[in-house]
Amino acid sequence: IISPGLVDVHVHMNEPGRVEWEGATSGTRAAAAGGVTTVIDMPLNSVPTTTTPAILKQKIAAVRDKAMVDVGFWGGLVPANAHDPATLRKMLKCGALGFKAFLPPSGINDFPHSSEEDVAAAMPILREAGVPLLVHAEIVSDLPPVPQGANKREYATFLATRPKQFEADAIKMLLLQLKRVEDAAALVKSDPPTGWGLHIVHLGHAGMVAEIGAAKAAGLPVTCEVNAHHLTWADEDVPLGGTLYKCMPPLRDRANLEGLWEGLKNGTIDMLASDHSPASPDMKLIEMGDFMASW
């Protein structure tokens, strides 16, 4: 098969600092083997996470001589820099292609999650710069308690703690903030710069496809991606103790999977990305099979 090289905008190579999870050499070799000739690396799970100009320079230097394909870098948007235009602009000058934020806890201590206020502060800065804001769109409110005696080896036990409402609340908030930014810009007749927009990573809630489509129809600069695992497996496919299937947002029911496929086919979902994010096997607790404790 001969085809153009693929571009994967959502990859975690973990270099520097966590190369035992993978690293740029094996990550880019794997990409090349699969026909992917460009990857854009996320600001975590490297150590330290990529949230300052100096750390971005460090990451570029660590990857430069190891990459087997073209590599770009997203900067990390966190509460410490979201309100700091100078830092964000310096990171762009150093090579960041845009910024990634987490609305839920990221699981990495030095990459705290962003609030609605952080997103609202950063959006006008990134709009002016003409670069995208990528967001892990789940707002974790009160976590539903795990029922006493629930089997933590059953996928349904974990899934019940990650309801669709987390994604719905996050996406609605993000679209509201995006509309506010665009409405303010319209008052001064400022068209959206090329490159600017909100990008929702790994959409997992098919019920939000229509909401995103309506925002696009209204002229808002929003895009989204879906990952292959959300198009391949449903909750019913996850075996007892199968912690390798645990991801965030989680795999949901078959109807949700089909809805994501429909969103991709009708063009509301803009692209397929991998969210390639390896971790060491011991972190997945494969033998124990505990969904609540595994990475």
Side-chain angles (χ1 to χ4, degrees), residues 123-124 126-130 178-194 196 219 221:
M123 275 186 170
L126 304 188
R127 186 186 194 280
E128 181 183 1
L178 181 63
K179 185 176 187 304
R180 286 174 176 170
V181 168
E182 292 305 314
D183 285 349
L187 293 175
V188 294
K189 299 183 180 179
S190 171
D191 292 332
T194 301
W196 153 247

Side-chain angles (χ1 to χ4, degrees), residues 5-28:
L6 302 175
V7 176
D8 191 347
V9 302
H10 193 151
V11 170
H12 300 260
M13 290 192 297
N14 311 318
E15 183 146 354
R18 283 195 174 94
V19 293
E20 70 276 11
W21 290 16
E22 181 175 58
T25 300
S26 63
T28 56

Side-chain angles (χ1 to χ4, degrees), residues 53 56-57 60 86-96 99:
L56 176 57
K57 289 179 181 178
I60 293 171
T87 294
L88 299 180
R89 290 176 185 133
K90 285 178 184 176
M91 290 185 70
L92 293 173
K93 288 186 82 171
C94 290
F99 289 86

Side-chain angles (χ1 to χ4, degrees), residues 12 27 37 42 56 100 107 118 132 137 140 161 184 196 199 203 211 216 224 229 234 244 265:
H12 300 260
T37 56
M42 287 291 175
L56 176 57
K100 162 74 176 295
D118 298 326
V140 177
T161 69
W196 153 247
H199 180 72
L203 180 65
E211 189 115 2
K216 290 185 175 196
C224 62
H229 44 276
L244 290 175
K265 288 188 288 185

